[in-house]
């Protein structure tokens, strides 16, 4: 029964992130005048890569006892690498966001991102060299990854997209509230995925899925503006074509 529950939780968990990637990929940005449109590819990258990470984690969780001993070391390194790469996509998204929001937020955000990346790189190098006693296991390295990259990238991305949404609200664009809600969801997910280990309680993946679901729903509503922009552009082209035919 426990295996069945775990399977369904991680299956749906990964599916939510895959859906986040799809929500972005299947939007039309060609006619968009919104500056955030140039940053969303990184969010889609995070969605797809994190979905792959969670689904592959499911395989390891279910079949880790059947893995040959000689492959245990390689599997642990692969788990750490794919976790880092998935959060790297979110960190890139945060970096791009802070390039389109006004000062002083942009400079502060980029400085924090730079410090996090440098700190994480140094920690991983020390871990790899085996000179840090506290990081003599892969679980320790994964903890550093979740705290620095996971919590750091999700929180900064959440704050960045919330600031962007607030700007839109200041300009009387109602859809800005959905970007703010998306940022709120990212911060919650950052806390759950970065600061609360999976081993803390069996319900942790469930709450992470709920937080990711909040991001998915609010992002879907926020990105509807791109469909509206596309329809408006097509309508304008049709009007110009009809006007040209009259002459």
């Amino acid at each position: 029964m426990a295996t069945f529950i775990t399977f369904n939780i991680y299956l749906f968990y990964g599916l939510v992130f895959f859906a986040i990637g799809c929500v972005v990929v299947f939007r039309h940005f060609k006619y968009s005048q919104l500056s955030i449109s140039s940053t969303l590819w990184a969010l889609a990258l995070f969605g797809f890569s994190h979905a792959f990470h969670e689904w592959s984690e499911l395989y390891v969780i279910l079949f880790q006892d059947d893995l040959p001993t000689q492959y245990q070391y390689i599997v642990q390194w692969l788990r750490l690498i794919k976790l880092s790469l998935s959060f790297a996509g979110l960190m890139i998204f945060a970096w791009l966001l802070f390039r389109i929001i006004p000062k002083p937020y942009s400079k502060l955000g980029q400085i924090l991102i730079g410090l996090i990346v440098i700190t994480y790189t140094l920690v991983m190098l020390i871990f790899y060299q085996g000179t840090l006693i506290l990081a003599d296991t892969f679980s320790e390295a994964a903890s550093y990854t979740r705290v620095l990259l996971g919590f750091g990238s999700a929180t900064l991305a959440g704050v960045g997209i919330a600031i962007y949404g607030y700007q839109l609200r200041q300009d009387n664009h109602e859809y800005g509230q959905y970007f703010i809600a998306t940022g709120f969801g990212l911060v919650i997910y950052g806390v759950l995925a970065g600061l609360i280990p999976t081993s803390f309680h069996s319900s942790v993946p469930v709450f992470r899925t709920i937080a990711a679901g909040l991001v998915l729903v609010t992002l879907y509503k926020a990105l509807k503006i791109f469909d509206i922009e596309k329809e408006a552009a097509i309508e304008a082209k049709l009007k110009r074509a009809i006007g040209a035919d009259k002459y």
Side-chain angles (χ1 to χ4, degrees):
M1 185 65 180
T3 301
F4 176 77
I5 294 174
T6 301
F7 177 83
N8 282 278
I9 289 174
Y10 276 85
L11 182 67
F12 189 69
Y13 189 10
L15 184 61
V16 172
F17 283 101
F18 186 81
I20 289 175
C22 289
V23 163
V24 176
V25 168
F26 293 110
R27 280 292 185 271
H28 299 277
F29 302 128
K30 181 179 179 180
Y31 303 102
S32 179
Q33 301 298 317
L34 296 177
S35 57
I36 197 173
S37 62
S38 63
T39 71
L40 292 171
W41 65 267
L43 183 58
L45 177 64
F46 165 69
F48 289 132
S49 61
H50 208 62
F52 170 77
H53 165 71
E54 296 302 337
W55 284 334
S56 58
E57 280 295 290
L58 173 61
Y59 178 86
V60 174
I61 291 172
L62 295 179
F63 301 105
Q64 59 183 346
D65 294 334
D66 299 326
L67 290 173
T69 306
Q70 63 268 30
Y71 294 125
Q72 291 284 347
Y73 184 80
I74 297 175
V75 169
Q76 293 297 335
W77 266 112
L78 289 175
R79 294 176 70 185
L80 181 62
I81 291 171
K82 62 187 178 62
L83 178 64
S84 303
L85 290 178
S86 67
F87 282 130
L90 190 58
M91 189 68 79
I92 293 171
F93 176 61
W95 174 269
L96 295 175
L97 275 174
F98 280 104
R99 292 180 61 185
I100 64 173
I101 61 177
K103 297 178 181 180
Y105 306 112
S106 59
K107 290 296 183 183
L108 179 60
Q110 289 176 331
I111 290 173
L112 288 175
I113 291 172
L115 289 175
I116 290 173
V117 172
I118 292 173
T119 302
Y120 178 73
T121 302
L122 291 175
V123 169
M124 288 300 104
L125 285 175
I126 294 173
F127 168 73
Y128 181 75
Q129 295 297 327
T131 57
L132 186 60
I133 297 177
L134 295 178
D136 57 353
T137 66
F138 283 99
S139 61
E140 291 284 350
S143 297
Y144 293 135
T145 301
R146 287 190 173 276
V147 172
L148 292 172
L149 289 189
F151 174 70
S153 63
T155 301
L156 288 172
V159 170
I161 200 169
I163 292 174
Y164 180 78
Y166 179 75
Q167 285 182 285
L168 294 175
R169 288 288 295 162
Q170 291 293 97
D171 295 332
N172 297 319
H173 297 299
E174 293 186 2
Y175 54 85
Q177 63 188 346
Y178 296 117
F179 284 107
I180 296 174
T182 300
F184 182 68
L186 281 171
V187 172
I188 294 176
Y189 179 76
V191 172
L192 292 172
L195 301 183
I196 303 178
T198 307
S199 58
F200 178 77
H201 194 271
S202 59
S203 63
V204 171
V206 177
F207 286 107
R208 289 176 182 172
T209 303
I210 294 173
L214 174 61
V215 174
L216 173 61
V217 172
T218 54
L219 182 66
Y220 175 80
K221 289 183 174 294
L223 297 188
K224 276 189 173 182
I225 183 59
F226 294 106
D227 293 333
I228 296 174
E229 286 184 316
K230 179 188 175 184
E231 291 172 2
I234 293 174
E235 184 178 350
K237 284 186 176 181
L238 288 174
K239 287 182 178 180
R240 288 195 296 269
I242 293 172
D245 288 341
K246 291 181 179 179
Y247 300 99

